[in-house]
Amino acid sequence: MQDMTTPSLRRRLSSMLYESMLLFGVLFISGWLFSTLLQQRHALYLRHALEAWLFLVLATYFIWFWLHGGQTLAMKTWRFKLVDLSGRPVGIWRATFRFLLAWLWVLPGLALASTMSDRHWMLVLIPAGNLLLWALTIYLDPQRQFLHDRIVGTRLVNSTPTAKPKAATGAADPKST
């Protein structure tokens, strides 16, 4: 029987922070490979292709991990996983739709901030407000799931660590002979 309790908001946000640090390395290496293989000498040269490549890398990272065990590296560390509403692993369409909807954490705030005439602090404050509002959507759901999980039909649930098999008792210790 699987534990279907929802991790706390604090644990989920901590996992996101940890995930962002891991993704920095993944995106750095991916960007380096792109610019090296395509001999990108200027930041604006092939800029849209680089953005599409990095989006594809992110999509592959999340969708692959969600399909293979329901946990990204950070979710394994913080001991929770992604499942559907009945507790089964998610399929490719659900994982893809969840990945796309998760962009609502940042895109509306960035779009609104870019329309402001004063771009200095608004580029930080408005997306930060968007993040805060999106995180608070858990209080609209009885199981405390994020809005994109509610729409897609997925859940983040606590996962228990698998027990390691015990060593056979009575085995001779090789160091004692």
Side-chain angles (χ1 to χ4, degrees):
M1 185 71 180
Q2 180 171 305
D3 180 12
M4 292 292 284
T5 59
T6 304
S8 68
L9 177 61
R10 184 178 184 175
R11 280 183 57 217
R12 289 182 278 174
L13 293 178
S14 297
S15 172
M16 287 180 190
L17 182 63
Y18 182 53
E19 192 86 70
S20 65
M21 289 187 287
L22 294 172
L23 285 173
F24 176 80
V26 170
L27 294 176
F28 180 83
I29 296 298
S30 300
W32 175 77
L33 281 172
F34 179 90
S35 61
T36 300
L37 293 175
L38 296 178
Q39 298 182 0
Q40 184 182 22
R41 305 269 187 236
H42 189 277
L44 296 178
Y45 177 66
L46 299 173
R47 182 182 77 173
H48 297 300
L50 175 62
E51 291 169 353
W53 166 249
L54 294 178
F55 182 81
L56 181 65
V57 167
L58 280 175
T60 303
Y61 173 87
F62 282 107
I63 294 168
W64 190 88
F65 275 112
W66 291 337
L67 292 175
H68 295 88
Q71 296 174 299
T72 62
L73 297 173
M75 292 166 74
K76 286 180 185 180
T77 302
W78 287 91
R79 293 190 183 114
F80 57 86
K81 65 191 285 185
L82 181 70
V83 295
D84 69 8
L85 293 178
S86 60
R88 293 187 312 257
V90 295
I92 189 160
W93 297 114
R94 212 175 279 262
T96 303
F97 192 39
R98 183 180 193 271
F99 171 77
L100 293 174
L101 279 182
W103 280 95
L104 293 175
W105 277 86
V106 292
L107 286 183
L110 289 174
L112 181 61
S114 70
T115 63
M116 301 299 226
S117 59
D118 184 23
R119 293 181 172 221
H120 301 296
W121 281 101
M122 291 298 130
L123 287 174
V124 173
L125 293 178
I126 293 175
N130 187 96
L131 284 168
L132 177 65
L133 288 175
W134 196 263
L136 293 177
T137 63
I138 67 164
Y139 297 109
L140 301 175
D141 185 62
Q143 285 92 31
R144 299 291 187 242
Q145 297 296 323
F146 291 123
L147 185 57
H148 60 281
D149 285 313
R150 181 77 170 175
I151 293 169
V152 177
T154 55
R155 294 186 65 184
L156 288 174
V157 297
N158 288 308
S159 67
T160 55
T162 56
K164 294 180 181 178
K166 292 184 179 180
T169 56
D173 185 16
K175 292 181 183 177
S176 65
T177 55

